[in-house]
Amino acid sequence: MDNLAAVEEQTRRIGTELFTQVKEESVRFFRSEQWTARLLEWAMRHEAMKVKLFRFVDVLPTLGEDTQVVRHLEEYFGGGPDPFRGLLKMGLSLAGAGRWGARAAAATLRKGVEQVARSFIAGTTIDEIVTVVEEFYRQGQGTTIDVLGEATLSEAEADAYQQRYLDLLSVLIERSAHWPVVAQVEEAPWGRLPRINLSVKLSAFYSQLDPIDPEQGTSRVMERLSPLLQKARAHNVHIQIDMEDYHLKDLTLHLLRHIGESPPFRDYRHLGVALQAYLRESEIDAQELIAWARRRGTPITVRLVKGAYWDFEVVHARLEGWPVPVYEQKWETDASFERLTRLFLENHDCIDLAIGSHNIRSIAHALALVQALDLPPRSVEFQVLYGMAAPLRRALSKR
């Protein structure tokens, strides 16, 4: 067993190194990235403005008239602090010039929102996505691809979602066969890694997915997911199941076990699930996942994340008068993340760990544990969101 004080000292040393590397990378690369990062950082510090910003972005595609765009801008951000005061002034001055002014203001706003969106979305067509994936691959950085869309509202939407994944996978399989070998993203201590990694949300495969009827949900999800899984198995593609909001957590883990125990996938290593450290039940779930993976006899991947539905989970639980399922203080989630990191790394024989975080402390702690537990290099994978923490991504890739 490693010494806790030694791990803490090593965590701080590695964290300091990473901060230095990130700072250097920021100076070299931050241009458009810097503007987007500062805008979002500013918005996150102003709760009311954050809500207005996301509401405005959400409603913008539905506004058909240019004058509506300008009117909504004034209603959402009139009298607001920078950086929107200048934007509002520009929009209103253009709108005052009549129909052509409103058109110019609306076009400018739509273009600006599109540029911000493209900072976080790899592409809107398969060709755009595959081009981005290949570029990262050649730089020694792997990707996991998520087709946007979850909680489908109809079976027609679920059919369309399935087809988008199948089409994307077909193109990726064909194109990736011609990529050169890049050891940094293809070799792990246990063997060869897939070039293609897809993330899926189960609620997108069945519009009526509900934990009240797990068997019906499992059956209907599998009807659409099975062709994708079979194609992935035939071509050595990793399938990662994303975790969604709390009410689907147990059903998601049930579906993972259902897939992992079926004959075609029982010995398939390239299957995984996300686990959210902000849930109070996560350590119990982690212990059960480890025990199941060991019984299965083939490791699975766990993508460890902090969790993305905190606001919803807290508000929803309080509204219903239920116990809040998530930790309510950030430090509690961070501490949970470190406990889970240790737990999974101590059970590396049956869990392939992927750290999904932009927090340098969390990343440095994982690296320190790899050393303290005397695990081989590259025993843990690090993941960041596309369009975010680019200097951190490049610094980690260098390490």
Side-chain angles (χ1 to χ4, degrees):
M1 180 64 70
D2 57 275
N3 183 286
L4 290 176
V7 170
E8 178 64 22
E9 182 181 350
Q10 186 74 330
T11 297
R12 297 189 181 202
R13 185 189 65 77
I14 294 172
T16 301
E17 288 177 4
L18 278 173
F19 269 117
T20 301
Q21 290 172 311
V22 166
K23 191 173 182 179
E24 292 171 356
E25 290 287 331
S26 300
V27 170
R28 289 174 56 205
F29 287 98
F30 257 9
R31 290 179 178 84
S32 61
E33 291 173 2
Q34 189 177 43
W35 185 87
T36 302
R38 285 181 176 174
L39 172 64
L40 290 175
E41 183 183 357
W42 180 89
M44 295 307 111
R45 289 201 307 267
H46 298 80
E47 186 66 28
M49 194 56 61
K50 177 179 71 173
V51 173
K52 291 179 181 179
L53 174 62
F54 285 120
R55 284 178 177 171
F56 180 72
V57 170
D58 187 48
V59 78
L60 184 60
T62 70
L63 303 178
E65 297 292 330
D66 297 329
T67 52
Q68 290 179 325
V69 176
V70 176
R71 191 180 76 245
H72 275 75
L73 179 69
E74 182 176 16
E75 288 175 355
Y76 278 102
F77 303 116
D82 287 332
F84 298 105
R85 188 183 296 124
L87 187 62
L88 176 64
K89 185 177 180 181
M90 176 275 295
L92 294 179
S93 64
L94 286 172
R99 182 166 60 92
W100 291 104
R103 178 173 295 179
T108 300
L109 289 167
R110 287 194 173 103
K111 185 66 175 176
V113 169
E114 181 183 345
Q115 287 176 344
V116 171
R118 282 190 173 273
S119 298
F120 305 103
I121 300 172
T124 55
T125 68
I126 290 177
D127 280 343
E128 288 178 354
I129 294 167
V130 175
T131 298
V132 170
V133 167
E134 183 173 356
E135 182 180 350
F136 277 125
Y137 173 84
R138 290 178 181 275
Q139 294 171 5
Q141 298 165 16
T143 55
T144 179
I145 308 164
D146 182 6
V147 174
L148 293 180
E150 56 185 282
T152 49
L153 301 179
S154 72
E155 294 305 273
E157 279 187 11
D159 285 337
Y161 186 89
Q162 177 207 42
Q163 192 58 52
R164 284 199 297 272
Y165 259 116
L166 290 170
D167 292 344
L168 174 62
L169 186 53
S170 294
V171 175
L172 280 166
I173 290 168
E174 193 279 326
R175 293 270 289 271
S176 65
H178 304 288
W179 296 350
V181 174
V182 179
Q184 181 157 315
V185 288
E186 290 193 70
E187 295 178 5
W190 53 86
R192 201 68 178 267
L193 295 173
R195 291 183 172 186
I196 305 170
N197 186 315
L198 297 182
S199 293
V200 298
K201 290 184 174 66
L202 298 179
S203 63
F205 288 90
Y206 177 42
S207 66
Q208 305 303 310
L209 190 62
D210 195 312
I212 201 170
D213 190 358
E215 296 311 315
Q216 169 78 354
T218 299
S219 174
R220 297 303 298 273
V221 166
M222 290 306 297
E223 287 177 11
R224 292 192 177 91
L225 190 58
S226 287
L228 184 67
L229 289 169
Q230 290 164 9
K231 196 166 189 174
R233 182 72 172 88
H235 295 278
N236 201 41
V237 171
H238 185 99
I239 297 294
Q240 187 76 15
I241 300 174
D242 273 338
M243 193 62 74
E244 302 177 59
D245 53 287
Y246 176 66
H247 91 288
L248 288 177
K249 188 256 296 178
D250 288 341
L251 183 53
T252 299
L253 294 172
H254 169 76
L255 270 154
L256 169 75
R257 291 190 292 269
H258 176 84
I259 296 166
E261 291 170 3
S262 63
F265 300 100
R266 191 174 184 87
D267 64 345
Y268 194 57
R269 188 166 190 150
H270 308 308
L271 182 68
V273 71
L275 203 68
Q276 299 159 320
Y278 68 6
L279 289 176
R280 298 177 186 273
E281 299 171 358
S282 282
E283 288 184 66
I284 296 172
D285 291 330
Q287 294 280 10
E288 291 177 353
L289 264 177
I290 291 166
W292 171 74
R294 188 163 281 122
R295 289 195 306 271
R296 176 176 176 250
T298 304
I300 63 162
T301 295
V302 171
R303 174 195 294 152
L304 184 60
V305 298
K306 301 289 174 73
Y309 301 86
W310 188 89
D311 290 340
F312 171 81
E313 302 293 7
V314 171
V315 171
H316 184 60
R318 288 176 178 167
L319 184 66
E320 299 289 352
W322 298 337
V324 177
V326 297
Y327 292 112
E328 295 184 63
Q329 301 295 322
K330 184 181 182 301
W331 69 265
E332 294 176 295
T333 295
D334 291 340
S336 170
F337 195 92
E338 293 194 8
R339 290 194 300 272
L340 290 165
T341 298
R342 173 181 286 275
L343 178 60
F344 285 129
L345 287 177
E346 287 176 343
N347 291 276
H348 62 91
D349 61 305
C350 61
I351 299 293
D352 299 333
L353 180 61
I355 296 289
S357 178
H358 300 163
N359 184 295
I360 289 181
R361 161 78 198 194
S362 300
I363 292 167
H365 178 253
L367 287 167
L369 279 174
V370 167
Q371 294 180 16
L373 296 170
D374 198 26
L375 301 181
R378 294 203 292 228
S379 292
V380 63
E381 179 176 314
F382 294 95
Q383 298 183 356
V384 296
L385 290 169
Y386 177 81
M388 298 184 70
L392 175 59
R393 167 173 51 80
R394 288 187 286 259
L396 284 170
S397 181
K398 277 186 174 183
R399 290 183 71 95

